[in-house]
Amino acid sequence: MNFQFSPEQELIRKAAREFAEEVVRPRVQEMEEGQYILDDLFRLMGEVGFLGVLIPQEYGGTNLGTLGAVLVVEEISRISAALGTGLQVHCLGLLPVVKFATPACKEKYLPGLATGKYIATGSITEASGGSDPTTMSTVAVQDGDSWVINGRKCFITLNKTANTTWVTTCTKEGKRREFTTFFVDKSMEGYKEGRLENKTGMHGLDNGEVVFKNCRVPDTNVLLGVGRGLPVALTAIGRMGRMGMACAALGTIQASLEAAVKFANERVLYGRPIAYLQGVQFKIAEMAYLLETSRLLVYKAAWLTDQNMPDAELAPKVAMAKYVATQSAIKASDLAVEILGGYGVVREYNTERYLRDARMIWAAAGTGDIMQLTVAREALKLK
Amino acid sequence: MQPLQIAICVKPVPDPKESTQLQINPTTKTLVRKGIPLVINPMDRNALEAGVKLKEANGGKVTVFSMSPPEGELTMLETLALGADEAILLSDLIFAGGDTLATARVLAAGIKAQGNWDLVICGAESFDGGTAQVGAQLAVLLGTPWITRVSHLKRVDDKHLLVTVEDEVEQRELLVQLPVVLTVESVVNQARPLSLWGIVEARNKKITVYNADTLKLDQKGIGLDGSPTQTRDLFAPDASREAEILTGDSPQQIANQLLDKIGWSRKGAAN
Ligand SMILES: Cc1cc2nc3c(=O)[nH]c(=O)nc-3n(C[C@H](O)[C@H](O)[C@H](O)COP(=O)(O)OP(=O)(O)OC[C@H]3O[C@@H](n4cnc5c(N)ncnc54)[C@H](O)[C@@H]3O)c2cc1C
């Protein structure tokens, strides 16, 4: 057993931390004030190779694997969970192109996805309920050598910033509905963003509707195959999306702990820093182990992903990591707010932002309940 | 133009952002660096960038030299990711505790052992030691001119660089003949960010470790014992301040008290 990152992985973390501190930190305030500045930050993330972390080198990526992506998303989320989530969703959006696209589709999109010319997302959730995607009403109908998509997706991260998305549609009605996932870009007529949601946290990160109105997509943009659309979406979510949200959680826990430690060492009550109060120490200790346990689970799940563990076996490992990291982020940021006393809810101290951001993670890429079900199903050996 | 062989000297130092965490070991009088991440000395990162830019413009090879403990290897990998072609780690237990001259001797031996070189670039000073001596000593040991406070450099032909040198009062342009040792400050350039592309490229580059034996160094001139200077004491200066509150019946009276305190003559001034 070896719990050490390789020197290369240490450097990946260093590169991400440097970017987060120097490029992202000065922009957080703007994002908090509701400015959508992600175009700009995405361009800069493209310059340092973050956008291509899952893209093979022959297509212009850096191909540093799931662990590489995890380190980058975690470090960016330490400064901005909103941008960390934006980056992970881009990775979730392009992963099916890497894994399942036709050679023509790969040639066309992957080099641009690595630099930021194309920014990707994934679209499956509909108003009918994200936990049960089989009830979706978006449809695609074949017409010659292309398909015509009609429907409306909701809660789509980067709905405005992204100019490409995979979209899962129903392509055969009946007792057993069939689904197909396509890769579409905004130059195709009929694909555009809809309304933006006004969210609790992760301000500056766009999230909202994506609308398809007679959107015509060529055959070559079918991912994996007609009728195999759900596995495409589940691979993207299971091999990146859930892990990525768990990394947003890791960054949030780390940031909460740092803020709490700084405050506890500086705030003097009864003649000594409050770090000497046992009640405060217990909270700090709890935050420290929430961080450590979450990290161990997330890094292990990422490592298993890189070992090519099949989707079905991997799902409960990832679900456990996402569940624990999410609950830990909610708990740790809440504790940080408490340790800061009144300052905990003052905006310039950031801890209230961590709590609002942590709350955003629970439903994204599958709710906590769905994570529990996935873990339980394996533990109970249910089919 | 002929490709240049460029040597860059790099020191891993405790991250300046964490400098408030630095402590001094009261018995050995050395910095306690445990738990503080190492980074490339900030000005050395500019030195490296200057070398890489010259290479990108005219061809050549950039080799990084660093005297540091084995942990320095990660810093070496980082220099490769930032554009260096090869890194030489000069590492040996007997190098430990060396002063600036002992360090310069090891660096000079490393640069000579590596073979041909046209230009050495160092940061003007290190963030932790801050003596600004190593570059000058290195030039003496290598037998070349030394130019410090370089704020701009350009290659003009096979044998010459045009460098701008800046201090508080003037700015000079110098035409210098190679080989030469330059020391640069952070104004010389904006160092490139560490990127994943660079990290991937570093996979095909080499880090070599040289010890005292490979360098055939005379042990008399290196390490703590070979250092003509020894640290007598190292302490954090007491920066505490005392506040005194002046009171009085009128603002004028308080102001006068203040003037008296700072020894200001009130003669002739309107009361
Ligand atoms: C920040 C954020 C980003 C998102 N980004 C994207 C995106 O980029 N692309 C995309 O397609 N979607 C995205 N989503 C949507 C997300 O995947 C859905 O919100 C999620 O799947 C839940 O769907 P729902 O909101 O419709 O809730 P519902 O599915 O309606 O769930 C309602 C409640 O029922 C519970 N529930 C459901 N099923 C069960 C069950 N079997 N057992 C017990 N409880 C159950 C849920 O846990 C929840 O509490 C995002 C959501 C958020 C919050």
Side-chain angles (χ1 to χ4, degrees):
Chain A
M1 212 178 224
N2 180 357
F3 280 104
Q4 239 181 351
F5 283 115
S6 69
E8 181 174 288
Q9 286 160 340
E10 296 284 356
L11 272 197
I12 295 171
R13 187 189 282 285
K14 208 167 184 179
R17 180 164 290 214
E18 190 176 293
F19 183 89
E21 287 286 353
E22 277 160 35
V23 181
V24 184
R25 193 191 279 284
R27 309 296 297 277
V28 169
Q29 193 54 33
E30 262 174 274
M31 291 174 77
E32 269 307 286
E33 283 159 10
Q35 308 280 342
Y36 295 103
I37 54 167
L38 292 180
D39 278 347
D40 178 25
L41 289 172
F42 263 91
R43 181 180 54 76
L44 296 166
M45 288 199 291
E47 282 175 13
V48 288
F50 296 170
L51 301 184
V53 66
L54 293 183
I55 297 178
Q57 285 174 29
E58 64 263 36
Y59 291 106
T62 42
N63 199 30
L64 290 163
T66 315
L67 265 171
V70 157
L71 291 171
V72 176
V73 175
E74 178 189 350
E75 284 299 330
I76 292 187
S77 299
R78 175 177 159 268
I79 301 298
S80 167
L83 186 64
T85 298
L87 173 60
Q88 89 87 0
V89 167
H90 170 75
C91 292
L92 159 167
L94 65 82
L95 188 63
V97 182
V98 173
K99 288 200 171 292
F100 306 124
T102 58
C105 189
K106 285 186 189 184
E107 278 311 326
K108 176 157 187 211
Y109 294 109
L110 287 178
L113 285 163
T115 58
K117 176 183 166 214
Y118 290 119
I119 296 167
T121 182
S123 305
I124 183 164
T125 307
E126 295 192 12
S128 56
S131 305
D132 180 13
T134 58
T135 57
M136 70 174 64
S137 49
T138 297
V139 292
V141 178
Q142 193 157 25
D143 180 23
D145 54 8
S146 57
W147 294 74
V148 178
I149 305 177
N150 276 292
R152 187 179 286 265
K153 299 286 180 181
C154 66
F155 286 125
I156 308 308
T157 307
L158 301 176
N159 69 324
K160 186 168 123 67
T161 306
N163 50 10
T164 60
T165 185
W166 53 257
V167 53
T168 307
T169 65
C170 177
T171 43
K172 196 169 161 200
E173 292 293 353
K175 226 164 114 200
R176 274 186 68 93
R177 301 180 89 205
E178 273 184 16
F179 303 92
T180 304
T181 298
F182 300 88
F183 197 69
V184 296
D185 79 68
K186 275 186 180 158
S187 73
M188 295 168 181
E189 213 174 309
Y191 158 32
K192 48 181 197 302
E193 74 239 31
R195 66 177 209 125
L196 276 169
E197 300 301 344
N198 186 3
K199 317 182 297 315
T200 300
M202 295 194 184
H203 293 166
L205 174 70
D206 41 321
N207 183 297
E209 286 182 339
V210 165
V211 184
F212 300 92
K213 201 167 166 196
N214 295 323
C215 174
R216 191 170 283 273
V217 188
D219 243 346
T220 45
N221 285 32
V222 171
L223 296 169
L224 190 61
V226 174
R228 300 172 73 187
L230 284 185
V232 172
L234 290 178
T235 296
I237 295 165
R239 301 191 89 86
M240 185 65 232
R242 289 178 180 167
M243 203 103 61
M245 290 322 296
C247 294
L250 292 186
T252 303
I253 306 169
Q254 171 80 41
S256 302
L257 179 59
E258 285 177 29
V261 165
K262 181 169 188 290
F263 189 87
N265 281 317
E266 287 172 0
R267 176 68 163 175
V268 174
L269 292 178
Y270 322 109
R272 282 212 290 185
I274 60 168
Y276 289 94
L277 300 173
Q278 204 178 50
V280 171
Q281 289 178 353
F282 284 177
K283 287 179 181 173
I284 296 282
E286 185 171 358
M287 294 169 80
Y289 70 67
L290 289 172
L291 178 61
E292 191 66 17
T293 46
S294 303
R295 275 196 168 146
L296 288 172
L297 288 173
V298 176
Y299 296 160
K300 185 178 170 197
W303 178 80
L304 289 170
T305 311
D306 285 338
Q307 304 304 305
N308 290 321
M309 182 181 257
D311 284 4
E313 259 177 89
L314 184 66
K317 314 286 182 205
V318 171
M320 192 184 292
K322 196 223 164 193
Y323 184 80
V324 171
T326 307
Q327 302 295 38
S328 299
I330 294 168
K331 180 75 195 165
S333 54
D334 200 30
L335 287 171
V337 167
E338 288 180 6
I339 289 173
L340 266 76
Y343 301 99
V345 291
V346 172
R347 292 227 151 164
E348 66 191 87
Y349 284 80
N350 287 324
T351 46
E352 60 84 37
R353 166 164 68 92
Y354 303 149
L355 180 56
R356 286 185 288 110
D357 286 351
R359 257 295 159 212
M360 298 291 297
I361 301 169
W362 193 83
T367 68
D369 296 328
I370 298 296
M371 298 307 110
Q372 299 257 64
L373 285 183
T374 311
V375 173
R377 222 173 270 143
E378 187 198 47
L380 292 165
K381 306 199 181 341
L382 298 179
K383 286 272 175 256
Chain B
M1 266 189 264
Q2 291 270 87
L4 280 185
Q5 299 299 315
I6 305 165
I8 311 288
C9 299
V10 166
K11 181 181 186 185
V13 297
D15 189 347
K17 287 201 198 77
E18 312 273 332
S19 59
T20 51
Q21 314 264 349
L22 272 178
Q23 282 173 350
I24 295 166
N25 179 321
T27 40
T28 61
K29 299 292 177 193
T30 50
L31 287 177
V32 182
R33 295 172 180 172
K34 218 174 143 245
I36 303 178
L38 292 174
V39 300
I40 297 174
N41 178 49
M43 285 185 195
D44 298 354
R45 194 153 165 185
N46 297 107
L48 174 60
E49 180 69 25
V52 173
K53 282 222 170 84
L54 274 180
K55 177 194 79 171
E56 285 170 349
N58 310 115
K61 182 177 171 193
V62 173
T63 309
V64 163
F65 294 85
S66 181
M67 187 188 96
S68 76
E71 304 91 90
E73 199 150 332
L74 186 63
T75 306
M76 294 299 92
L77 188 62
E78 189 177 353
T79 64
L80 297 178
L82 289 166
D85 300 291
E86 192 181 347
I88 314 276
L89 185 65
L90 307 162
S91 194
D92 197 311
L93 274 178
I94 65 165
F95 296 164
D99 67 0
T100 58
L101 184 59
T103 303
R105 284 183 184 130
V106 172
L107 288 169
I111 291 170
K112 283 183 189 158
Q114 185 58 15
N116 287 341
W117 57 277
D118 302 299
L119 171 65
V120 178
I121 313 179
C122 308
E125 62 182 86
S126 63
F127 166 76
D128 53 353
T131 66
Q133 292 169 357
V134 171
Q137 290 163 331
L138 194 56
V140 173
L141 293 169
L142 293 171
T144 71
W146 165 60
I147 300 171
T148 190
R149 300 201 145 180
V150 171
S151 62
H152 190 256
L153 67 158
K154 204 173 99 186
R155 190 149 176 225
V156 285
D157 60 36
D158 272 353
K159 285 264 148 258
H160 295 90
L161 295 179
L162 189 65
V163 306
T164 309
V165 170
E166 243 176 272
D167 60 28
E168 289 81 0
V169 282
E170 60 178 4
Q171 196 183 57
R172 280 170 295 154
E173 276 203 338
L174 307 173
L175 186 68
V176 298
Q177 196 180 334
L178 299 170
V180 65
V181 174
L182 305 179
T183 54
V184 300
E185 298 189 22
S186 53
V187 290
V188 74
N189 53 40
Q190 166 95 42
R192 71 196 56 197
L194 180 59
S195 79
L196 301 192
W197 314 109
I199 291 172
V200 169
E201 277 167 23
R203 284 178 185 163
N204 302 319
K205 298 177 181 175
K206 204 169 78 189
I207 300 174
T208 312
V209 182
Y210 287 170
N211 60 20
D213 281 347
T214 32
L215 295 175
K216 299 191 184 64
L217 270 170
D218 178 1
Q219 304 209 357
K220 276 196 231 102
I222 53 176
L224 186 66
D225 292 341
S227 296
T229 57
Q230 315 271 317
T231 306
R232 184 71 173 278
D233 200 1
L234 187 67
F235 57 91
D238 181 8
S240 60
R241 300 277 187 277
E242 233 171 64
E244 191 181 332
I245 295 170
L246 302 175
T247 53
D249 296 333
S250 68
Q252 191 137 45
Q253 197 193 351
I254 298 172
N256 284 339
Q257 286 182 52
L258 181 63
L259 290 176
D260 287 343
K261 272 211 170 291
I262 61 175
W264 185 273
S265 162
R266 265 182 284 146
K267 247 184 270 156
N271 229 356

